[in-house]
Amino acid sequence: MTRRKGGAADRVLRIVAMKKIRWIAIIACLSLSMFFLTKAAISSMVYADDAAATTAEPVDPMAQSALTVFDAVNEQRVAAGLKALEWDADLYPAACLRAQEASVLWSHTRPDGTLFDSAITTQWIWRGENLAWQKGASDADIVPWWMDSPAHHEVMMYAGFTNGAVGTYTCSDGRVFYSLLVVGNK
């Protein structure tokens, strides 16, 4: 039996091949961006006070945005009598990756079909994720939105989470995506 060229099967194969090429390109871009985002650079991020800010090197706006949201999460935790999360430099690349992936597929499932926690490369017993996006709002609006959502509130306020990181990704249309990854061993 011969197959007709241009049939439905050929169209499906072309579509599948195009999608594979698109995902390969996305993965290549992510790999390249992760290469330049070294662990040492993330580990050296510090909170600058106003006096030091005038003499310090310019801060990456996306990293500053992530720290702003992370600080707001910790304010809520401390106000509720919980320990503040410790910034985890090992989680930061995964949080950035998840923010970018959420811009492609709005879900706690990754575009490759695995769950969000498959992006976390370090070993933790408990893992959680909050996602948000905004356009035209501010970083300060993200945590109140999470606080108003029972499921997101639960992730932020779980006492067993000890470490975390926030990643951000800005789309060409101005939408900003956020991923809060939290982990713990209790």
Side-chain angles (χ1 to χ4, degrees), residues 94-130:
C96 290
L97 174 63
R98 286 296 301 132
Q100 187 170 15
E101 289 178 343
S103 74
V104 175
L105 177 65
W106 184 246
S107 173
H108 295 291
T109 301
R110 300 180 66 195
D112 67 2
T114 60
L115 293 177
F116 76 90
D117 63 351
S118 67
I120 300 171
T121 58
T122 52
Q123 296 300 313
W124 295 95
I125 294 173
W126 299 105
R127 301 166 180 205
E129 175 183 63
N130 280 352

Side-chain angles (χ1 to χ4, degrees), residues 106-179:
W106 184 246
S107 173
H108 295 291
T109 301
R110 300 180 66 195
D112 67 2
T114 60
L115 293 177
F116 76 90
D117 63 351
S118 67
I120 300 171
T121 58
T122 52
Q123 296 300 313
W124 295 95
I125 294 173
W126 299 105
R127 301 166 180 205
E129 175 183 63
N130 280 352
L131 295 175
W133 71 270
Q134 57 89 358
K135 183 176 181 178
S138 74
D139 298 332
D141 295 324
I142 300 305
V143 173
W145 292 337
W146 284 337
M147 290 296 289
D148 288 341
S149 163
H152 294 96
H153 180 273
E154 184 178 344
V155 169
M156 279 180 33
M157 305 306 264
Y158 176 62
F161 289 139
T162 57
N163 295 46
V166 173
T168 58
Y169 177 76
T170 302
C171 293
S172 60
D173 66 2
R175 289 178 299 153
V176 181
F177 286 79
Y178 301 82
S179 170

